């Protein structure tokens, strides 16, 4: 019972196509995040949400959009996939407590060919 | 955006050895977290340290937060193959809705 699930786990897509990744949580946490992880860059924040329909940009948001229509779901869309967006994408959730850490999903490995 | 530097980047040691990894910044943190990530999985929280000079122990792992709250270390005693993974530090500052992650230390413990 992970509390957070990502889908799909793996995806190969063609350059120029739109792609949507889904994050689903059962913890009722307010905060949700999308990160990408690349060798040499670590985890970089793409977008985050602090409530239903409340989202904001992270440090690498260009080419990505997000939506959160329900507390439990946070969607990441690559509007027109490029090879530079080949990466492993992680969703994370967090309660509002100062000392409470992130809980991460298992990741989505996306390859853009 | 804070820059978090972790060292070393890679570490390969024999089972039973001790090791220390470091997380440094020029900025002051309100708190700092350590995570471990295994291949094919997301990072898992190990500990949060919030007070300058704080030391926390988790079995064979000892975490220390620098007095000035700009640096932290993770010490593993008698490393085991199960300790193998990527260790990430993450700094929280100001508003805690977002954190900055270090680039990680990849640890391999050889049986």
């Amino acid at each position: 019972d992970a509390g957070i699930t990502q889908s799909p786990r793996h995806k190969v897509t063609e350059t120029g196509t739109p792609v949507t990744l889904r994050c689903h949580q059962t913890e009722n946490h307010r905060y949700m995040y999308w990160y990408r992880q690349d060798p040499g860059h670590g985890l970089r924040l793409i977008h985050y949400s602090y409530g239903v329909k409340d989202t904001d940009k992270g440090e690498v948001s260009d080419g990505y959009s997000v939506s959160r229509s329900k507390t439990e779901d946070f969607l990441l869309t690559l509007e027109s996939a490029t090879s530079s967006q080949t990466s492993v994408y992680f969703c994370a959730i967090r309660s509002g407590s100062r000392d409470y850490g992130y809980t991460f999903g298992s990741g989505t490995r996306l390859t853009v060919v | 955006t804070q820059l978090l530097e972790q060292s070393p980047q890679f570490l390969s040691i024999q089972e039973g050895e001790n090791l220390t990894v470091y997380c440094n910044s020029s900025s002051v943190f309100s708190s700092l977290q350590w995570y471990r990530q295994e291949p094919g999985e997301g990072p898992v929280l190990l500990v949060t340290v919030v007070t300058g000079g704080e030391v926390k122990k988790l079995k064979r792992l000892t975490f220390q937060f620098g007095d000035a709250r700009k640096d932290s270390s993770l010490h593993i005693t008698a490393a085991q193959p199960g300790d193998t993974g990527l260790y990430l530090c993450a700094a929280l500052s100001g508003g805690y809705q977002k954190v900055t992650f270090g680039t990680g230390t990849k640890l391999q413990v050889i049986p």
Side-chain angles (χ1 to χ4, degrees):
Chain A
D1 185 11
I4 177 172
T5 54
Q6 291 184 233
S7 60
R9 288 298 311 271
H10 302 272
K11 186 170 182 67
V12 180
T13 192
E14 293 186 350
T15 299
T17 61
V19 177
T20 295
L21 309 182
R22 180 177 182 249
C23 179
H24 178 78
Q25 62 147 330
T26 58
E27 305 296 323
N28 201 36
H29 283 339
R30 178 182 175 188
Y31 298 101
M32 299 186 76
Y33 307 81
W34 278 106
Y35 283 88
R36 60 179 288 175
Q37 188 173 36
D38 304 287
H41 292 280
L43 282 159
R44 292 181 291 174
L45 181 65
I46 305 171
H47 282 280
Y48 69 103
S49 170
Y50 46 94
V52 174
K53 297 187 179 179
D54 291 325
T55 65
D56 204 351
K57 296 179 179 180
E59 60 181 299
V60 290
S61 60
D62 287 347
Y64 302 95
S65 62
V66 290
S67 66
R68 192 171 178 197
S69 59
K70 298 185 291 185
T71 298
E72 57 266 34
D73 291 323
F74 193 32
L75 304 180
L76 175 70
T77 298
L78 287 66
E79 294 143 7
S80 177
T82 67
S83 59
S84 64
Q85 293 176 312
T86 292
S87 185
V88 181
Y89 291 87
F90 287 100
C91 177
I93 59 175
R94 192 163 188 262
S95 79
S97 168
R98 177 190 177 199
D99 299 336
Y100 198 83
Y102 286 100
T103 299
F104 282 86
S106 297
T108 295
R109 182 172 293 277
L110 177 68
T111 303
V112 182
V113 298
Chain B
T1 302
Q2 293 186 116
L3 184 63
L4 278 176
E5 297 183 355
Q6 287 190 241
S7 61
Q9 284 187 286
F10 303 98
L11 194 54
S12 181
I13 62 171
Q14 295 291 325
E15 182 176 0
E17 292 183 359
N18 301 331
L19 67 116
T20 302
V21 299
Y22 300 92
C23 177
N24 295 286
S25 175
S26 57
S27 302
V28 175
F29 314 138
S30 60
S31 62
L32 186 135
Q33 297 172 337
W34 284 93
Y35 293 79
R36 181 170 67 211
Q37 184 179 18
E38 298 185 10
E41 296 297 327
V44 175
L45 179 69
L46 297 174
V47 76
T48 300
V49 285
V50 297
T51 305
E54 182 176 4
V55 177
K56 281 191 174 179
K57 292 193 175 183
L58 187 67
K59 297 183 179 178
R60 294 176 294 99
L61 278 61
T62 301
F63 304 87
Q64 186 161 8
F65 200 14
D67 291 340
R69 306 206 326 270
K70 292 184 178 182
D71 57 271
S72 181
S73 64
L74 159 60
H75 181 79
I76 301 178
T77 303
Q80 299 178 0
D83 296 326
T84 293
L86 178 68
Y87 288 81
L88 296 161
C89 63
L92 293 76
S93 63
Y96 48 79
Q97 295 89 334
K98 299 182 292 183
V99 301
T100 301
F101 283 86
T103 52
T105 293
K106 195 167 186 178
L107 172 65
Q108 180 185 33
V109 182
I110 302 167

